[in-house]
Amino acid sequence: MKKNPLLLILGLALFSCGNPGGPPTASSSDSRFRTTPPSVLYFKNMRSAYYEQTELPGARTELYRLRKFSQLKQQNIIIPVIANNWLEDEAYLLLEATGPAFAVPLTIRWRTGPDEGIYRLQPDSADKQYELAMRLFESLQAGHRLSAMSTDSTWIPALEGTDARSYYSTTVRDYLRLTEAL
């Protein structure tokens, strides 16, 4: 008789520590931006040496720019920047258009043979920058010629030359490894 009340109390204690009755709550952040401790450790130990690191003051976000981009002689170039928000365990892929010639919003035209299309960064948000960066990456993989709209409404070459294309692709692949999408 004494064992039954003890088992009942133990069962109630275990039941109360289990899963709450409601449905599990979904994460509010986008899974495309999530990082894990192993992926961050790999990036910081193996890949970050190839990047210039700066930190946004007050934002607790580390910005990584591939060092090789600084060796390019081109004035107007689009540089992908990895933004590691370590407080939120997220990383973002941002686009930095260097030089005064790029129009706002950033507009990119791709061409291959008779086909062409336009990518536009509007509105300018982390989500839209990620989408544009990935489209540019796919265009580079497909061998498209890219040009950007300048402030005087003419098209100027963007990511021209094998070095710029290679550096851009390297940064995107490092970002995909950091977010475990690759």
Side-chain angles (χ1 to χ4, degrees), residues 125-168:
S125 65
D127 193 39
K128 293 296 183 184
Q129 287 199 32
Y130 170 82
E131 289 175 13
L132 179 59
M134 295 310 295
R135 285 183 177 163
L136 292 176
F137 178 67
E138 291 165 1
S139 285
L140 291 176
Q141 299 300 320
H144 296 163
R145 287 185 21 231
L146 301 173
S147 52
M149 176 75 72
S150 69
T151 54
D152 62 358
S153 299
T154 60
W155 294 102
I156 57 174
L159 296 171
E160 192 174 56
T162 56
D163 287 342
R165 289 172 170 263
S166 172
Y167 302 160
Y168 186 95

Side-chain angles (χ1 to χ4, degrees), residues 16-62:
S16 66
C17 294
N19 190 12
T25 58
S27 175
S28 62
S29 64
D30 194 336
S31 63
R32 296 178 297 177
F33 304 127
R34 298 302 294 166
T35 61
T36 62
S39 67
V40 171
L41 188 63
Y42 173 80
F43 181 78
K44 289 198 174 213
N45 286 339
M46 303 300 289
R47 298 300 304 158
S48 68
Y50 298 100
Y51 289 83
E52 295 172 353
Q53 179 192 353
T54 57
E55 190 164 332
L56 286 176
R60 297 181 181 166
T61 301
E62 303 164 334

Side-chain angles (χ1 to χ4, degrees), residues 66-137:
L66 192 65
R67 290 182 197 275
K68 291 182 178 183
F69 275 109
S70 62
Q71 299 170 358
L72 294 177
K73 302 295 182 211
Q74 298 171 341
Q75 257 187 333
N76 302 311
I77 193 163
I78 300 168
I79 299 174
V81 178
I82 297 172
N84 180 28
N85 183 351
W86 53 268
L87 187 61
E88 298 292 329
D89 292 329
E90 292 182 339
Y92 312 104
L93 188 58
L94 308 176
L95 294 175
E96 183 178 79
T98 63
F102 293 109
V104 175
L106 183 60
T107 305
I108 307 291
R109 179 177 66 185
W110 62 269
R111 282 187 167 177
T112 181
D115 298 330
E116 72 175 49
I118 290 184
Y119 305 134
R120 187 171 314 221
L121 181 61
Q122 192 174 18
D124 190 2
S125 65
D127 193 39
K128 293 296 183 184
Q129 287 199 32
Y130 170 82
E131 289 175 13
L132 179 59
M134 295 310 295
R135 285 183 177 163
L136 292 176
F137 178 67

